[in-house]
């Protein structure tokens, strides 16, 4: 009987995980449809919650920051390879972080 309970317990855990995955996928498909068909104007309001909108905005901002950081790391690695490891090019920094003011101008 212990083998039977182990089998049932293991398969129900897998089924619960699969159900959770389907639920998350469904939410994202609905979000994508909402983004495609609606634009937030009267008569075409979004159906998604404000929290979901904020989460998506925060996620896209985090991805932009990650791309900027990777670009900076590549530039630093390239500078280190060419022997300029301590120097940072002001033009590259401005391109990666346009909102920063450079103090040496």
């Amino acid at each position: 009987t212990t083998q039977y309970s182990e089998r049932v317990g293991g398969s129900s855990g897998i089924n619960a995980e699969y159900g959770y995955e389907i639920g998350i996928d469904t939410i994202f498909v609905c979000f994508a449809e909402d983004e495609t068909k609606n634009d937030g104007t009267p008569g075409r309001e979004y159906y998604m919650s404000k929290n979901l909108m904020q989460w998506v905005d925060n996620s896209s901002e985090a991805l932009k920051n990650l791309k900027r950081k990777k670009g900076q790391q590549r530039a630093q690695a390239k500078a280190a390879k060419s022997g300029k490891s301590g120097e940072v090019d002001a033009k590259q920094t401005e391109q990666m972080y346009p909102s920063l003011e450079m103090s040496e101008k």
Side-chain angles (χ1 to χ4, degrees):
T1 58
T2 56
Q3 289 178 345
Y4 176 76
S5 62
E6 288 174 5
R7 287 183 193 166
V8 171
S11 65
S12 65
I14 292 169
N15 288 338
E17 186 177 319
Y18 182 67
Y20 181 76
E21 185 178 332
I22 289 174
I24 296 297
D25 289 346
T26 302
I27 290 170
F28 283 118
V29 167
C30 291
F31 166 77
E33 280 291 314
D34 195 18
E35 277 277 306
T36 304
K37 295 184 178 188
N38 300 309
D39 60 7
T41 59
R44 293 184 65 189
E45 294 88 4
Y46 290 118
Y47 287 97
M48 71 183 98
S49 69
K50 299 280 185 207
N51 289 336
L52 181 57
M53 276 191 236
Q54 290 172 347
W55 183 82
V56 170
D57 288 341
N58 290 341
S59 296
S60 62
E61 187 65 30
L63 286 173
K64 288 177 190 175
N65 290 336
L66 182 63
K67 286 179 184 178
R68 266 191 240 128
K69 185 176 180 181
K70 285 184 178 183
Q72 184 182 24
Q73 288 173 343
R74 280 193 294 270
Q76 288 174 346
K78 187 177 180 181
K81 228 179 196 180
S82 67
K84 302 177 187 176
S85 60
E87 300 174 23
V88 176
D89 185 12
K91 191 172 185 177
Q92 285 179 334
T93 304
E94 283 181 35
Q95 290 172 349
M96 289 185 279
Y97 301 101
S99 62
L100 295 177
E101 294 181 20
M102 298 307 295
S103 60
E104 296 179 15
K105 284 187 176 180

